[in-house]
Amino acid sequence: MVHKQTIRELLERELLSWEGVSVHPHRFGGIEFQYLGKELGHLHGDSMADMPFPKQRRDELVADGRVQPHHMYPESGWVTFYIRGAEEVPRVLELFQMQYERIRNKTK
């Protein structure tokens, strides 16, 4: 029987291939991805990704309809992306890539 990879497994495999990225248990459940100890974002199962952005960037992403305000802290810089299927993995990776570049550039 062939194992069909979960969305979490697909994202984890790709993100861990990026230099400096590691995975850890998240304090509120799920898994957290970090770049050199700084959180890029975290996953709650296969259905939700949360990421911290600067408030202005968060507002732009929400206005563009790319993400929703964070499910628990809607006024913060955090965003939530509801993953409705494996076809959305590239969109989630694009958001993680934004985080990766932003945080990597800050640490140079």
Side-chain angles (χ1 to χ4, degrees):
M1 183 172 176
V2 175
H3 169 72
K4 183 179 176 203
Q5 286 193 310
T6 65
I7 291 169
R8 183 196 62 99
E9 288 170 336
L10 292 169
L11 291 167
E12 186 173 354
R13 186 181 71 214
E14 176 61 27
L15 290 168
L16 289 177
S17 75
W18 299 355
E19 184 180 341
V21 174
S22 58
V23 65
H24 309 272
H26 184 66
R27 65 189 176 277
F28 298 124
I31 59 172
E32 176 177 316
F33 296 97
Q34 296 179 2
Y35 173 72
L36 302 179
K38 302 224 183 283
E39 183 176 358
L40 297 172
H42 57 269
L43 298 176
H44 296 284
D46 285 337
S47 62
M48 189 176 1
D50 293 330
M51 294 170 214
F53 282 96
K55 187 82 163 67
Q56 181 179 348
R57 186 68 176 126
R58 171 257 190 218
D59 292 345
E60 293 167 359
L61 291 167
V62 170
D64 289 347
R66 296 173 74 180
V67 297
Q68 301 294 316
H70 189 266
H71 60 103
M72 295 291 291
Y73 303 105
E75 300 305 316
S76 71
W78 282 81
V79 301
T80 296
F81 183 94
Y82 294 99
I83 307 167
R84 290 173 174 73
E87 68 279 359
E88 292 188 312
V89 165
R91 292 178 62 203
V92 179
L93 287 171
E94 184 180 346
L95 293 166
F96 272 108
Q97 181 73 32
M98 286 181 208
Q99 282 292 81
Y100 180 74
E101 295 298 328
R102 180 179 72 81
I103 292 171
R104 198 170 79 161
N105 289 336
K106 280 174 60 174
T107 59
K108 285 184 179 179

